[in-house]
Amino acid sequence: MEPVTDPALWGVVSIALSAIVLAVGVLYAVMPSPESTFPPVPLDAEEGFTYTCYCCPDPVRVTIRAPQAHLVGRAPGGRPEVRTEG
């Protein structure tokens, strides 16, 4: 078996490897880090419970409030929620 000495083949191989390394680097850069992820709301949180959220550069104090009757069952835009069954 002869060694491969075709310059075009080595060019294609080097470009492919460079593209793979670049793709892995980009994926690593966009992955969330522990500092940028949002902490979950505690599952046992009751009305009046306060915790600190570190999702912003400055810590934010969050207080759990009771659901307001006029907002229950409404879509995010303030429209009544439409449910279809079928």
Side-chain angles (χ1 to χ4, degrees):
M1 179 184 260
E2 281 186 35
V4 179
T5 58
D6 186 18
L9 175 65
W10 287 113
V12 169
V13 169
S14 65
I15 290 174
L17 287 176
S18 298
I20 290 171
V21 169
L22 179 65
V24 169
V26 168
L27 289 175
Y28 181 76
V30 299
M31 285 178 50
S33 64
E35 294 83 26
S36 67
T37 56
F38 299 106
V41 176
L43 296 176
D44 58 347
E46 297 179 2
E47 181 182 355
F49 178 79
T50 301
Y51 69 99
T52 304
C53 177
Y54 297 96
C55 55
C56 298
D58 297 326
V60 178
R61 302 278 295 165
V62 178
T63 301
I64 306 298
R65 295 176 39 187
Q68 298 178 3
H70 68 280
L71 297 178
V72 175
R74 295 202 171 255
R79 304 174 310 276
E81 188 173 342
V82 178
R83 293 186 182 175
T84 58
E85 296 179 13

